[in-house]
Amino acid sequence: MAYRKTPAEIRRLSTAKEHLVGCATQVVAEVGWSQASVTAVADAAGIAAGSVYQHFPSKAALAVEVFRRAAGREVEVLGEVLHGPGDPVERLARGVEVFARRALENRGLAYALLAAPAEPAVGAERLAHRRRYRALFAEVVREGVATGALPAQNGEITAAALTGAIGEILVDPLGGPGDGDHDALLADLTALALRCAGAPRS
């Protein structure tokens, strides 16, 4: 007869896994993907390195889980803003500002999600999430075109340009000392996004 975990054991393992992922996320935010070794993560979680493999078959699998959860949360927040109140132009501006502000407030993790060198499995996840960001931007741009708030354009191309530009503009502030004028950067980035989409000047 096959052994079945009890509900209490399942809960204990689930709690331990959540704790492990949380600690791994913090380690990645502090030292990046390359330095976030299994040993470093285990030390942060207060467990033996071998215990990590009770939850994940490899370091890559743990890294992918960290990326999916952290980047997935950013996609959710962006979606909430872009689907929120206001006309398409207002929501586009607010979405860019919120995304960038959240990144600048958690620079280490944001840099890891956007640009830090990572193994191929994480790189594949990064590409998949860029497509999700792009899809959200494309949706609001198309809505803006349909309502006349934005000029006729290919929403997918505009969204791709926005996604690439936002990431590229944030790389240096996120990877640097972090002592720049964030308010000015956010204003410039939002203005750029609106120009890219062809929004009329206010």
Side-chain angles (χ1 to χ4, degrees):
M1 182 175 177
Y3 170 75
R4 291 187 178 182
K5 294 183 176 67
T6 65
E9 187 175 6
I10 291 171
R11 286 193 298 272
R12 180 184 63 77
L13 289 171
S14 177
T15 299
K17 182 177 181 178
E18 292 299 314
H19 176 66
L20 178 61
V21 172
C23 290
T25 302
Q26 186 59 43
V27 171
V28 168
E30 292 172 357
V31 302
W33 301 106
S34 60
Q35 298 300 314
S37 65
V38 169
T39 299
V41 171
D43 288 346
I47 60 176
S51 298
V52 173
Y53 298 104
Q54 291 183 327
H55 305 283
F56 297 96
S58 65
K59 176 191 172 184
L62 174 57
V64 165
E65 183 70 10
V66 168
F67 189 98
R68 283 178 179 168
R69 293 196 189 196
R73 177 56 185 155
E74 297 310 310
V75 171
E76 288 176 4
V77 171
L78 180 61
E80 289 169 0
V81 175
L82 294 180
H83 292 138
D87 66 43
V89 173
E90 292 170 339
R91 283 183 274 130
L92 176 60
R94 194 160 56 247
V96 171
E97 192 271 340
V98 168
F99 178 87
R101 186 178 296 280
R102 286 174 60 84
L104 292 167
E105 289 174 350
N106 196 351
R107 293 171 51 248
L109 183 58
Y111 185 74
L113 296 179
L114 288 173
E119 51 197 70
V122 171
E125 287 296 321
R126 185 178 283 157
L127 180 60
H129 280 77
R130 282 174 65 91
R131 292 191 180 110
R132 293 179 67 186
Y133 295 131
R134 194 169 68 215
L136 288 170
F137 282 128
E139 184 179 356
V140 76
V141 169
R142 286 195 298 267
E143 183 182 346
V145 171
T147 60
L150 295 174
Q153 60 194 287
N154 185 319
E156 292 293 336
I157 291 177
T158 301
L162 282 173
T163 303
I166 293 167
E168 183 64 24
I169 290 167
L170 288 174
V171 166
D172 283 347
L174 293 177
D179 53 0
D181 185 347
H182 290 172
D183 287 337
L185 174 61
L186 291 170
D188 287 344
L189 182 54
T190 302
L192 172 67
L194 294 179
R195 288 197 303 272
C196 180
R201 293 183 179 180
S202 58

